[in-house]
Amino acid sequence: MEKKNRILIFTGAGKGKTTAALGMTLRASGHGQRILILQFIKSDASVGELTALKYLPGVEVIQMGRGFVPSATDPTFPEHCQAAGHALKIASDAIRSKRYDLIILDEICMAMAKGLITEDQVTEVIDLSSKEDSCLVLTGRGATDRLISKADTVTEMRCLKHGLQEGWTAQKGVEY
Protein backbone atom coordinates (compact mmCIF):
# COMPACT_ATOMS: atom_id res chain seq x y z
CA MET A 1 0.00 0.00 0.00
CA GLU A 2 1.60 3.22 -1.12
CA LYS A 3 0.00 6.27 0.40
CA LYS A 4 1.80 9.56 0.03
CA ASN A 5 -0.31 11.61 2.42
CA ARG A 6 0.95 9.96 5.59
CA ILE A 7 0.16 11.41 9.01
CA LEU A 8 2.59 10.65 11.84
CA ILE A 9 2.55 11.68 15.49
CA PHE A 10 5.49 11.65 17.91
CA THR A 11 4.13 12.20 21.43
CA GLY A 12 4.69 11.24 25.05
CA ALA A 13 6.67 12.41 28.06
CA GLY A 14 10.00 11.01 26.89
CA LYS A 15 12.81 12.77 25.07
CA GLY A 16 13.07 12.46 21.31
CA LYS A 17 9.88 13.71 19.67
CA THR A 18 11.42 16.60 17.76
CA THR A 19 14.58 14.56 17.24
CA ALA A 20 12.55 11.86 15.47
CA ALA A 21 10.94 14.48 13.23
CA LEU A 22 14.38 15.93 12.47
CA GLY A 23 15.54 12.45 11.49
CA MET A 24 12.71 12.37 8.97
CA THR A 25 13.86 15.79 7.75
CA LEU A 26 17.35 14.44 7.16
CA ARG A 27 15.99 11.44 5.28
CA ALA A 28 13.58 13.51 3.15
CA SER A 29 16.27 16.06 2.29
CA GLY A 30 18.52 13.21 1.18
CA HIS A 31 15.80 12.21 -1.29
CA GLY A 32 15.57 15.73 -2.68
CA GLN A 33 12.23 16.45 -1.01
CA ARG A 34 11.00 19.84 0.15
CA ILE A 35 10.44 20.18 3.89
CA LEU A 36 8.73 22.78 6.07
CA ILE A 37 9.18 22.76 9.84
CA LEU A 38 6.85 25.03 11.80
CA GLN A 39 7.71 25.35 15.48
CA PHE A 40 4.66 26.17 17.60
CA ILE A 41 6.36 26.75 20.98
CA LYS A 42 10.11 27.10 20.49
CA SER A 43 11.64 30.51 19.90
CA ASP A 44 15.41 30.10 20.40
CA ALA A 45 17.11 30.49 17.02
CA SER A 46 20.54 29.58 18.44
CA VAL A 47 19.89 25.86 18.97
CA GLY A 48 22.14 23.39 17.19
CA GLU A 49 19.48 21.78 15.01
CA LEU A 50 18.54 25.10 13.41
CA THR A 51 22.18 25.85 12.67
CA ALA A 52 22.59 22.43 11.02
CA LEU A 53 19.30 22.60 9.09
CA LYS A 54 20.58 25.68 7.22
CA TYR A 55 22.95 23.35 5.39
CA LEU A 56 20.30 20.85 4.29
CA PRO A 57 18.82 21.49 0.86
CA GLY A 58 15.06 21.87 0.63
CA VAL A 59 14.49 22.62 4.33
CA GLU A 60 12.62 25.68 5.57
CA VAL A 61 12.19 26.31 9.30
CA ILE A 62 9.85 28.91 10.75
CA GLN A 63 9.80 29.50 14.49
CA MET A 64 6.36 30.79 15.41
CA GLY A 65 6.45 30.21 19.15
CA ARG A 66 7.10 32.66 21.93
CA GLY A 67 8.99 30.23 24.14
CA PHE A 68 7.89 29.00 27.55
CA VAL A 69 4.09 29.09 27.74
CA PRO A 70 2.79 30.88 30.83
CA SER A 71 -0.48 30.13 32.61
CA ALA A 72 -3.71 31.25 30.97
CA THR A 73 -4.01 34.06 33.53
CA ASP A 74 -0.65 35.60 32.57
CA PRO A 75 -1.01 38.86 30.61
CA THR A 76 1.26 37.50 27.83
CA PHE A 77 -0.81 34.33 27.29
CA PRO A 78 -2.92 35.87 24.48
CA GLU A 79 0.30 36.61 22.54
CA HIS A 80 1.15 32.90 22.66
CA CYS A 81 -2.36 32.03 21.48
CA GLN A 82 -2.11 34.51 18.62
CA ALA A 83 1.27 33.10 17.56
CA ALA A 84 -0.05 29.53 17.58
CA GLY A 85 -3.12 30.58 15.59
CA HIS A 86 -0.89 32.27 13.03
CA ALA A 87 1.23 29.11 12.81
CA LEU A 88 -1.93 27.08 12.11
CA LYS A 89 -2.78 29.42 9.24
CA ILE A 90 0.72 29.06 7.79
CA ALA A 91 0.44 25.26 8.14
CA SER A 92 -2.89 25.23 6.28
CA ASP A 93 -1.53 27.51 3.56
CA ALA A 94 1.56 25.32 3.21
CA ILE A 95 -0.55 22.18 2.83
CA ARG A 96 -2.74 23.82 0.19
CA SER A 97 0.29 25.20 -1.67
CA LYS A 98 1.54 21.70 -2.50
CA ARG A 99 5.08 23.13 -2.21
CA TYR A 100 6.23 20.65 0.44
CA ASP A 101 6.63 16.90 0.54
CA LEU A 102 7.03 16.85 4.33
CA ILE A 103 5.45 19.29 6.78
CA ILE A 104 6.42 19.06 10.45
CA LEU A 105 4.29 20.82 13.05
CA ASP A 106 6.72 20.77 15.96
CA GLU A 107 5.14 20.97 19.42
CA ILE A 108 1.64 21.40 17.99
CA CYS A 109 0.31 18.80 20.45
CA MET A 110 1.83 20.76 23.34
CA ALA A 111 0.34 24.00 21.99
CA MET A 112 -3.04 22.28 22.02
CA ALA A 113 -2.50 20.80 25.50
CA LYS A 114 -1.58 24.24 26.86
CA GLY A 115 -4.76 25.77 25.41
CA LEU A 116 -3.11 27.92 22.73
CA ILE A 117 -5.14 26.22 20.01
CA THR A 118 -8.03 23.77 20.06
CA GLU A 119 -8.28 20.12 19.17
CA ASP A 120 -10.82 21.06 16.48
CA GLN A 121 -8.32 23.41 14.85
CA VAL A 122 -5.63 20.72 14.81
CA THR A 123 -7.99 18.10 13.37
CA GLU A 124 -8.96 20.57 10.61
CA VAL A 125 -5.29 20.75 9.61
CA ILE A 126 -4.99 16.95 9.71
CA ASP A 127 -8.14 16.57 7.62
CA LEU A 128 -6.84 19.10 5.10
CA SER A 129 -3.54 17.24 4.88
CA SER A 130 -5.23 13.89 4.34
CA LYS A 131 -6.65 15.25 1.07
CA GLU A 132 -3.24 16.36 -0.24
CA ASP A 133 -0.12 14.60 -1.44
CA SER A 134 2.29 15.32 1.40
CA CYS A 135 3.43 13.81 4.68
CA LEU A 136 2.36 15.57 7.88
CA VAL A 137 4.17 15.08 11.18
CA LEU A 138 2.86 16.35 14.52
CA THR A 139 5.07 16.38 17.60
CA GLY A 140 4.62 17.22 21.26
CA ARG A 141 3.26 15.89 24.51
CA GLY A 142 -0.46 15.55 24.87
CA ALA A 143 -1.67 14.04 21.60
CA THR A 144 -5.33 13.22 22.21
CA ASP A 145 -7.12 10.01 21.28
CA ARG A 146 -8.89 11.93 18.53
CA LEU A 147 -5.61 13.04 16.95
CA ILE A 148 -4.13 9.58 17.35
CA SER A 149 -7.13 8.03 15.58
CA LYS A 150 -6.49 10.25 12.54
CA ALA A 151 -2.81 9.30 12.19
CA ASP A 152 -1.50 6.22 10.46
CA THR A 153 1.69 6.05 12.56
CA VAL A 154 1.97 7.09 16.21
CA THR A 155 5.00 6.73 18.45
CA GLU A 156 4.85 7.48 22.14
CA MET A 157 8.16 8.39 23.74
CA ARG A 158 8.28 7.14 27.31
CA CYS A 159 10.80 8.43 29.81
CA LEU A 160 12.45 5.66 31.80
CA LYS A 161 15.25 7.83 33.09
CA HIS A 162 16.45 11.34 32.25
CA GLY A 163 19.72 13.00 33.21
CA LEU A 164 17.99 16.31 33.94
CA GLN A 165 16.06 14.57 36.72
CA GLU A 166 19.39 13.48 38.18
CA GLY A 167 20.77 17.03 38.25
CA TRP A 168 22.41 17.27 34.84
CA THR A 169 22.06 20.65 33.16
CA ALA A 170 20.92 21.03 29.55
CA GLN A 171 23.85 20.21 27.29
CA LYS A 172 24.72 21.44 23.79
CA GLY A 173 24.21 18.68 21.26
CA VAL A 174 21.94 16.70 23.58
CA GLU A 175 19.10 18.96 24.74
CA TYR A 176 19.64 21.87 22.35
Side-chain angles (χ1 to χ4, degrees):
M1 174 179 176
E2 184 174 327
K3 184 179 177 187
K4 293 186 178 182
N5 62 337
R6 302 276 308 273
I7 299 169
L8 296 88
I9 298 176
F10 299 118
T11 193
K15 183 174 170 28
K17 297 170 288 292
T18 298
T19 304
L22 292 174
M24 289 185 67
T25 301
L26 181 63
R27 181 176 288 151
S29 177
H31 286 294
Q33 295 182 354
R34 300 156 302 171
I35 302 104
L36 173 64
I37 302 170
L38 283 172
Q39 294 191 312
F40 277 72
I41 303 284
K42 297 169 184 163
S43 64
D44 184 355
S46 69
V47 295
E49 60 265 27
L50 295 185
T51 302
L53 288 171
K54 291 176 187 173
Y55 297 100
L56 281 181
V59 179
E60 181 180 350
V61 180
I62 305 173
Q63 285 190 321
M64 301 296 298
R66 298 291 182 260
F68 177 79
V69 180
S71 72
T73 59
D74 188 284
T76 64
F77 187 78
E79 293 172 29
H80 290 263
C81 294
Q82 184 178 21
H86 188 221
L88 273 176
K89 180 179 180 341
I90 290 174
S92 295
D93 291 347
I95 291 165
R96 284 188 198 96
S97 78
K98 303 179 192 301
R99 264 185 71 201
Y100 304 98
D101 302 294
L102 173 63
I103 299 173
I104 296 170
L105 306 180
D106 187 41
E107 296 291 355
I108 191 169
C109 297
M110 177 61 84
M112 185 189 70
K114 292 279 188 178
L116 304 180
I117 52 180
T118 67
E119 183 182 53
D120 285 342
Q121 290 173 305
V122 178
T123 57
E124 284 175 21
V125 170
I126 292 172
D127 291 343
L128 177 62
S129 176
S130 68
K131 298 172 188 161
E132 300 299 336
D133 196 23
S134 62
C135 180
L136 181 68
V137 176
L138 293 78
T139 74
R141 296 174 186 222
T144 61
D145 289 341
R146 185 171 164 203
L147 297 187
I148 289 169
S149 72
K150 291 186 168 287
D152 61 81
T153 302
V154 179
T155 300
E156 182 178 18
M157 278 40 168
R158 188 169 61 106
C159 184
L160 299 177
K161 183 178 181 180
H162 198 299
L164 297 179
Q165 295 168 336
E166 303 296 319
W168 287 83
T169 57
Q171 183 177 340
K172 278 185 186 179
V174 179
E175 277 81 28
Y176 64 95

